[in-house]
Amino acid sequence: MGITENLKRASKQRDELIATDLLITAKSAVRAYAVAVTETATPEVRKVLVKQLNQAIEDHAEIAEYMIKHDMYMAYDIEKQLKHDKEKVEKAEQLIKD
């Protein structure tokens, strides 16, 4: 495999790593805003938090759609997703051994 192919593969791996981190962060934001909305007693603050919650939900959907489109996240095929995750674990283990 040539350097160009290695760079393309590394670039996709970096993209997937970044996208996965963004997806996890977006999920955390949705949870945090949902809890905050239920804990506030001030209508004005609740309105702001609901707006932020809706934006976090939209961000999550956009990131997930990007990952699905680029075969980074197989949300509709658990067997394929598990295989993909297993391959990532094996690659990580190989990096540790090398």
Side-chain angles (χ1 to χ4, degrees):
M1 183 179 311
I3 185 115
T4 306
E5 290 302 313
N6 281 336
L7 289 172
K8 286 180 185 176
R9 190 177 66 181
S11 178
K12 183 173 182 349
Q13 290 171 342
R14 279 191 302 272
D15 288 352
E16 184 172 355
L17 181 65
I18 292 167
T20 300
D21 191 43
L22 286 171
L23 187 68
I24 291 167
T25 301
K27 287 181 181 188
S28 295
V30 168
R31 288 185 196 105
Y33 283 123
V35 169
V37 166
T38 64
E39 295 296 326
T40 188
T42 309
E44 295 83 7
V45 173
R46 186 177 306 112
K47 185 177 178 180
V48 170
L49 291 172
V50 167
K51 182 179 176 183
Q52 294 298 318
L53 172 60
N54 288 332
Q55 183 61 55
I57 292 168
E58 289 177 26
D59 292 345
H60 174 272
E62 187 175 343
I63 297 162
E65 287 172 21
Y66 173 88
M67 292 181 73
I68 290 167
K69 180 179 176 184
H70 292 90
D71 294 324
M72 298 175 184
Y73 183 43
M74 294 73 175
Y76 303 108
D77 188 340
I78 188 68
E79 293 299 322
K80 193 173 178 183
Q81 182 64 48
L82 289 172
K83 181 181 177 198
H84 181 73
D85 291 345
K86 183 178 177 186
E87 289 169 358
K88 288 193 299 186
V89 167
E90 289 169 355
K91 286 178 188 175
E93 288 175 339
Q94 188 61 40
L95 288 172
I96 293 169
K97 291 178 184 176
D98 290 344

